[in-house]
Amino acid sequence: MTSESGADSEAKQPRENKETEKEKGKAKAAAAAEPASPQNQPEQFPAAAGHSTPARKEQEQQEVDQVSHRSSISRLSRSPLKGVKKTKIMECKVALLDGSDFTLNLEKRARGHVLFDKICEHLNLLEKDYFGITCRDVENQKNWIDPGKELKKQIRTGPWNFAFNVKFYPPDPAQLTEDITRYYLCLQLRDDVVSGRLPCSFATHTVLGSYAVQSELGDYDPEELGSDYISELRFAPNQTKELEEKVMELHKTYKGMTPAEAEIHFLENAKKLSMYGVDLHHAKDSEGVEIMLGVCSSGLLIYRDRLRINRFAWPKILKISYKRNNFYIKIRPGEFEQFESTIGFKLPNHRAAKRLWKVCVEHHTFFRLVSPESQPKKFLSLGSKFRYSGRTQAQSRRASSMINRLAPLVERSSSKRYNMSLSLDGAPIAENHETPMKDSAAAGAAKILTKGDLITTVTTEKKAEEEKAEQEDAPTDAAETQEPTTPLRHDTKTDSEQTDFAFDGEMTATESDADDDSEMRTQDTSPPEEMLKHQTNISELKRSFLETGESSPGLTEWEKRLSSSPAHSPRGDEAPMIEPLELQDTKDEPPASEETKEEVEPKTTKAAEYLVKYVGDSVATDLASSSGLHGISPSTTMDDDVFMDGTLREVDEVAEREEIKVSPGAVRQEVYQAISDKKGTLIILKEADDKVDAEGKETGAAGEEEEPALRGEAEGGENEAVMGVEIWSPKMEANGVTQIKGTDSPKKAMASWISEVVKTEATEVVGASTKASDAPQPGEEVQTEQSKSGPSQITPPESSTTSLAVSTLGWVPSSEKGPPEPEEKVVVATETEAAPAESTGPTGCDVVEVGTKEVPVVHTETKTITYESAEVETNGDVDPGVLLSAQTITSETTSTTTTTHITKTVKGGISETRIEKRIVITGDTDIDHDQALAQAIKEAKEQHPDMSVTKVVVHKETEITPEEGED
Amino acid sequence: MAGLMSGFGHYTHAVVRGIPASLAKEALRSCQAEVDLAEARREHEEYVEVLGTRLGLEVVELPADESLPDCVFVEDAAVVCGDTALITRPGAESRRRETETMKSALKELNLNIVEMTDEKATLDGGDVLFTGREFFVGLSKRTNQRGAEILADAFKDYAVSTVPVLEGLHLKSFCSMGGPGLIVIGSSEPAQKALKIMQQMSDHRYDKLTVPDDLAANCIYMNLPNKGHVLLHPTAEQYPESAKVFEKLKDYMLIPVCNMQKVKVDGALTCCSVLINKKANI
């Protein structure tokens, strides 16, 4: 865990000093321009550098002109002469994780990402999304450099000294694609341990220490290492002889273990530590009691001394804000509470409050969302515009799954930081002979394309989530399909007032806005009033469903559901009494949220998202209110969520999501769960996805789509019969999110997305991303779709666009394996948990193939566009063992894009095919989106009765401003 | 390969203690009840025999101390996890000296001893639920915040969350672990509430096994070589409804253990032993 305080400063100081020597030795460090010779301590640097231009400010003193600091690797150096006068060059010194320094020159106006990219290049690091750059402020507090902002604005004073650190600690490091990434994570953790930020027991110190030694020094060899080698390394804050001896004992037993293996073992142990990846911030509670707030991948932890006294999982948090030195979280009402509550904490000062707020926003986005939120509109610029703009974990995983290079050599022996006496030279990382792919995403995408129709993308996590989702939600009785649409329309129009999304971070002074100071909404709380009615109805439906559900007396609704969900009861039918105990946020919430939603929703009139689920005859309806939801910005693209959620595969998280509704995926999950609950057995062996995008009111697209969809259904039917598996009646889930702000936006784009999913076999669904369609529209719309888990984003670069997406899912589970016996359930359960780790050789599944074969393969592209810049989304194969194929058929009409998407996944002998149809309607405000949507859904329905609407998204965008800082 | 936090339920040793005659009259109890001393001793003998003979644990049997009527409930005197033993400071004044013998016994077993010396701290082992992944400490009549803090300090690897115990003597008076990731919980409202809190505080995912009787939720789970999952649970005679639930557990070696007498002085199954895994020590 990292601490905001300077706790680690001691650890870093020494290495910085040492660093210089190392720098010399590095050939690589050529980058470190001559001027930045070793003798130059960063602090001294300014003086030496001053010649280029008279210093205008303090900062400029440090400027160095290009001529003197030409760096071999610096791109800037290409035109040295020109640069001399116009471009200010600054020398940056970056403390790397191995204790060395990396010095380079950057244009003064360079933004954070330039530096970051150069460091990653230097480190040969592709999976860079977990990392970040820090610099210390006046108070010696560590602040993360915003990649989108100019460095000079983030360093008010002082030399350009930075540190390269892990920013987001992956909950499961084994899922990282490359060893080299794990190597750096290990280095960070070793520092965390030695500095005391990551407390551990003596036993853990010995274990971690022993793996660190093995990783760094290799096999124990008394002749080479001597007997005292161990004391040259640091393992613990207070290292004792006893500890060293124990470490040595263990080290001796690791003969033959490779460094990469040792690192995996190290991480497997480190990740279990309770403070792993927890970023601590000092604070006081409302009564002035000293506490610590810990931000981590799963939420916010509250500590008093070493005790955890509370925990707020992200799904539980509706809003995060700060004002002056206060930090607030708005909490979703609990099961028995009527209203949401806001909890305030006092931070030492305004900066600390803001820092905490930012860290929360970033963690939430990275770990919980499928894609980053777009930034608030300008006209709402009352508050902070800060958003996390990098890739989310989900995106990062997809991208890294595309990495296709030989494992780079990692030179590990040079981690001087922990090595007290050795002073080996050499860059920490050996150059890789392979051409490293600098832009993994782009490269990945390219590769995918070349593969043709087969895309082996596996996003295990997603699968897990889906499964969970399936297990969780109980379907409710029949609601009409139409309903979802109606509400949507309202949404579209009502959202106009969504000012609340704006983070008013900067408005600190205004008292009235306390809440909004700078807030991040993690969920939508307020639906437009018009929608309220609908929602109420829906919730009523849901409630009634719940009440009618067959369940054992005495259990609460969610308990019933839980108890009936197969996946959660490992013992199968015979041991029905074992119920999954879900994190409160996750399982508890469904009920709670239902209750609360109604109340909550009325309050706000911002963006509302609803979720209507239909299952077979029964309809489960969930109101998901998500207004600024996704936390952060109301105007974000909701599309992505649909499938992407899956990507966050942490089991716990999955559950949480449901409740949160933050991510569309959550919605889905609910549906699935609902399904499973109702039937009691959930076995999904295959999943057929059919995605069709049809644009415009026309259903012309539909025609094309029909085939896949039908097949999917047919298959489902067959399977059911054959398998004797319980079949769920297809569910209809409609999730409508509307975020429309009254805007001056000239244009709107509306996209409707209808996807059909037929599941035939239980499998792990893998996220395959395919880019389905580009809206033909005035180029304002870009869509990204991830098949299966594929999130789709519509991000109109300029001008506001509204997109309405409706996705439908129909599931017909059947298993080839056999009847949905308890055993199977067990299997399912296992998969859920293990899914992420599993990787199986791809196996062809007949059923799947059938479904897919018939569909012509057009091409698959993955593309992700964030508000900041266009990124290529790649759905990759995370696990080599899993085969995923994705096919996308796209047809376009004037302003309509129809995409049929078929994804196949095979895992552990289980395969799943999923067919999704996606219809995107894009257009100006003039278009009657509501009608178009209604029609599209109707037609789709007619064609495929089993189809379910998973999601309806109305998306409207105005100008997006990528990089503003909140400041 | 040394792995931390693995092998939940693996035990090699058990520390137990005899029943003093004073238990019948003087042992603390939350409701008045007549204890049949001879019967209680017979029960305890059977309990020890299950641990030693049937399950093959090495049993360290400490002598009863007449001046310590509650001394048979050794669980409250120490919390052992991995190779570390935290000697507690029991919440009941009359029980403080129970730790002395326990401490020396655990020292004999080469555990790292951590003592709770802070006079403001109290902690009964019965309030400590270790799930294999984290600790939950019940804040009860016998255990306070400070005690929990010291426990957190003693076992740094794990998250330690506090749970208010509104009813019942100890946290484990209505719950226990029934397997890796499986919490056995009573169905009373306070029990369910406590479970909710545990859910909220945890990053982990658990299954729960709900039993009709709160007291029946106190079981002993072990995972032993050649025996697999072992669960010591109250007998059908004592809790017929709850027993039915246990009987449905598959792949378990189920061992009903009679606890009719000890329960009268708030003694549950877990109370009567401190389980230790010496082999897991690093």
Side-chain angles (χ1 to χ4, degrees), chain B:
Chain B
M1 230 127 289
L4 298 168
M5 309 184 200
S6 57
F8 180 68
H10 292 210
Y11 299 112
T12 55
H13 292 64
V15 178
V16 299
R17 196 164 187 180
I19 296 183
S22 55
L23 176 130
K25 296 272 185 271
E26 297 165 43
L28 302 171
R29 64 204 76 190
S30 36
C31 51
Q32 287 308 318
E34 285 286 310
V35 177
D36 179 334
L37 184 65
E39 186 60 14
R41 283 183 165 153
R42 199 196 56 73
E43 273 176 14
H44 193 58
E45 257 171 47
E46 180 195 319
Y47 177 93
V48 173
E49 190 185 281
V50 165
L51 296 179
T53 313
R54 183 142 177 208
L55 298 177
L57 298 185
E58 196 159 313
V59 177
V60 177
E61 198 159 2
L62 308 177
D65 183 335
E66 287 300 331
S67 65
L68 298 169
D70 289 296
C71 68
V72 62
F73 305 124
V74 290
E75 172 185 54
D76 293 322
V79 177
V80 178
C81 180
D83 58 357
T84 301
L86 172 66
I87 306 301
T88 67
R89 189 165 178 279
E93 187 93 44
S94 64
R95 301 190 59 189
R96 299 267 158 83
R97 285 198 305 113
E98 290 179 24
T99 58
E100 293 167 8
T101 318
M102 176 59 70
K103 187 172 103 184
S104 40
L106 295 177
K107 255 187 189 158
E108 290 275 302
L109 291 169
N110 285 319
L111 294 174
N112 301 322
I113 306 291
V114 179
E115 290 189 75
M116 192 174 283
T117 49
D118 189 328
E119 302 217 329
K120 289 184 204 131
T122 62
L123 182 115
D124 274 14
D127 277 316
V128 179
L129 178 68
F130 177 62
T131 69
R133 299 155 176 172
E134 64 193 313
F135 284 95
F136 292 106
V137 178
L139 297 181
S140 66
K141 299 181 191 83
R142 302 281 179 83
T143 300
N144 64 19
Q145 176 97 9
R146 185 68 193 128
E149 282 167 13
I150 292 171
L151 180 131
D153 233 27
F155 303 104
K156 289 196 177 70
D157 291 348
Y158 301 96
V160 178
S161 306
T162 53
V163 184
V165 175
L166 306 174
E167 258 175 59
L169 179 62
H170 286 139
L171 177 64
K172 281 194 284 189
S173 296
F174 51 77
C175 69
S176 65
M177 294 307 291
L182 176 64
I183 296 177
V184 184
I185 185 79
S187 50
S188 74
E189 196 178 309
Q192 293 293 324
K193 242 179 199 159
L195 184 67
K196 289 258 158 63
I197 292 172
M198 290 193 268
Q199 295 171 39
Q200 180 182 329
M201 301 279 254
S202 177
D203 298 319
H204 301 288
R205 184 190 184 86
Y206 298 101
D207 286 335
K208 66 171 178 180
L209 179 62
T210 306
V211 295
D213 309 285
D214 275 8
L215 288 172
N218 183 294
C219 307
I220 298 176
Y221 167 79
M222 295 186 219
N223 186 346
L224 300 176
N226 302 323
K227 295 189 178 61
H229 301 293
V230 177
L231 191 72
L232 277 62
H233 64 85
T235 59
E237 188 187 358
Q238 201 170 354
Y239 301 109
E241 291 307 313
S242 296
K244 282 180 197 160
V245 176
F246 292 121
E247 281 157 14
K248 287 182 191 161
L249 286 171
K250 296 299 174 196
D251 304 323
Y252 269 80
M253 175 191 272
L254 295 169
I255 306 179
V257 177
C258 183
N259 199 37
M260 303 274 266
Q261 297 303 320
K262 284 183 283 187
V263 77
K264 292 177 185 171
V265 282
D266 301 321
L269 292 179
T270 59
C271 300
C272 305
S273 59
V274 170
L275 301 174
I276 296 156
N277 182 16
K278 286 289 292 174
K279 285 174 191 159
N281 295 349
I282 298 159

Side-chain angles (χ1 to χ4, degrees), chain A residues 75-144:
Chain A
R75 285 168 196 160
L76 297 175
S77 62
R78 273 182 244 152
S79 55
L81 293 180
K82 287 182 194 170
V84 177
K85 288 181 182 176
K86 296 184 179 178
T87 317
K88 307 292 182 186
I89 300 299
M90 295 295 292
E91 186 182 84
C92 305
K93 189 162 163 186
V94 184
L96 301 179
L97 290 167
D98 65 355
S100 65
D101 277 356
F102 173 51
T103 311
L104 74 168
N105 295 325
L106 286 183
E107 207 175 320
K108 189 182 174 192
R109 296 182 53 203
R111 296 183 188 276
H113 68 83
V114 175
L115 174 59
F116 184 67
D117 289 345
K118 283 185 184 299
I119 297 169
C120 292
E121 186 180 329
H122 172 75
L123 296 174
N124 204 7
L125 178 64
L126 296 188
E127 292 177 279
K128 47 192 180 185
D129 303 303
Y130 299 92
F131 301 83
I133 305 170
T134 57
C135 71
R136 301 223 167 243
D137 62 17
V138 205
E139 300 163 317
N140 200 33
Q141 295 298 307
K142 237 162 62 170
N143 290 277
W144 292 102

Side-chain angles (χ1 to χ4, degrees), chain A residues 199-208 211 242 246 250 253-254 257 265 269 272-275 296 298 301 303-313 316 335-336 468 471-472 556 558-559 562 568-571 574-585 587-588 651-652 655-656 832-833, chain B residues 1-6 83-84 112 133-134 136-137 139 144-163 178-183 192-193 195-211 229 244-252 281-282:
Chain A
C200 42
S201 66
F202 180 85
T204 301
H205 278 308
T206 62
V207 171
L208 294 181
Y211 287 125
E242 184 191 7
K246 295 267 185 184
L250 284 174
T253 68
Y254 296 157
M257 185 186 293
H265 288 301
N269 283 289
K272 294 178 189 164
L273 295 170
S274 78
M275 299 306 280
C296 67
S298 68
L301 303 167
Y303 294 92
R304 186 172 145 195
D305 287 319
R306 284 252 316 130
L307 290 180
R308 184 183 291 183
I309 56 173
N310 215 333
R311 170 177 179 271
F312 301 100
K316 197 83 177 140
E335 198 176 346
F336 307 106
K468 286 192 174 181
Q471 305 163 0
E472 294 217 335
T556 63
W558 69 274
E559 282 175 329
L562 294 179
H568 290 304
S569 45
R571 279 89 180 173
E574 305 179 275
M577 65 288 184
I578 295 187
E579 305 159 19
L581 172 54
E582 303 244 342
L583 304 185
Q584 197 171 20
D585 5 289
K587 297 208 171 172
D588 264 350
V651 181
D652 298 354
E656 296 177 358
T832 319
E833 308 251 359
Chain B
M1 230 127 289
L4 298 168
M5 309 184 200
S6 57
D83 58 357
T84 301
N112 301 322
R133 299 155 176 172
E134 64 193 313
F136 292 106
V137 178
L139 297 181
N144 64 19
Q145 176 97 9
R146 185 68 193 128
E149 282 167 13
I150 292 171
L151 180 131
D153 233 27
F155 303 104
K156 289 196 177 70
D157 291 348
Y158 301 96
V160 178
S161 306
T162 53
V163 184
L182 176 64
I183 296 177
Q192 293 293 324
K193 242 179 199 159
L195 184 67
K196 289 258 158 63
I197 292 172
M198 290 193 268
Q199 295 171 39
Q200 180 182 329
M201 301 279 254
S202 177
D203 298 319
H204 301 288
R205 184 190 184 86
Y206 298 101
D207 286 335
K208 66 171 178 180
L209 179 62
T210 306
V211 295
H229 301 293
K244 282 180 197 160
V245 176
F246 292 121
E247 281 157 14
K248 287 182 191 161
L249 286 171
K250 296 299 174 196
D251 304 323
Y252 269 80
N281 295 349
I282 298 159

Side-chain angles (χ1 to χ4, degrees), chain A residues 269-380:
Chain A
N269 283 289
K271 77 173 187 191
K272 294 178 189 164
L273 295 170
S274 78
M275 299 306 280
Y276 171 83
V278 179
D279 188 18
L280 285 182
H281 299 253
H282 287 280
K284 286 181 181 172
D285 67 12
S286 54
E287 292 168 1
V289 176
E290 288 272 359
I291 56 171
M292 298 284 276
L293 298 181
V295 183
C296 67
S297 61
S298 68
L300 191 60
L301 303 167
I302 318 292
Y303 294 92
R304 186 172 145 195
D305 287 319
R306 284 252 316 130
L307 290 180
R308 184 183 291 183
I309 56 173
N310 215 333
R311 170 177 179 271
F312 301 100
W314 293 126
K316 197 83 177 140
I317 301 176
L318 293 168
K319 197 162 81 175
I320 304 171
S321 58
Y322 73 94
K323 182 175 184 176
R324 295 201 203 86
N325 62 334
N326 294 307
F327 173 78
Y328 301 97
I329 53 176
K330 187 184 271 185
I331 303 300
R332 179 186 293 282
E335 198 176 346
F336 307 106
E337 296 155 354
Q338 299 272 312
F339 302 101
E340 56 207 25
S341 52
T342 297
I343 302 178
F345 302 95
K346 265 219 177 339
L347 277 286
N349 54 47
H350 172 74
R351 291 175 62 87
K354 182 170 164 186
R355 189 163 46 236
L356 171 58
W357 176 80
K358 284 170 83 169
V359 169
C360 283
V361 170
E362 292 175 329
H363 274 72
H364 172 262
T365 306
F366 185 81
F367 290 108
R368 298 285 311 168
L369 300 188
V370 168
S371 63
E373 300 292 333
S374 60
Q375 297 187 347
K377 300 175 184 178
K378 278 195 171 169
F379 68 92
L380 293 177

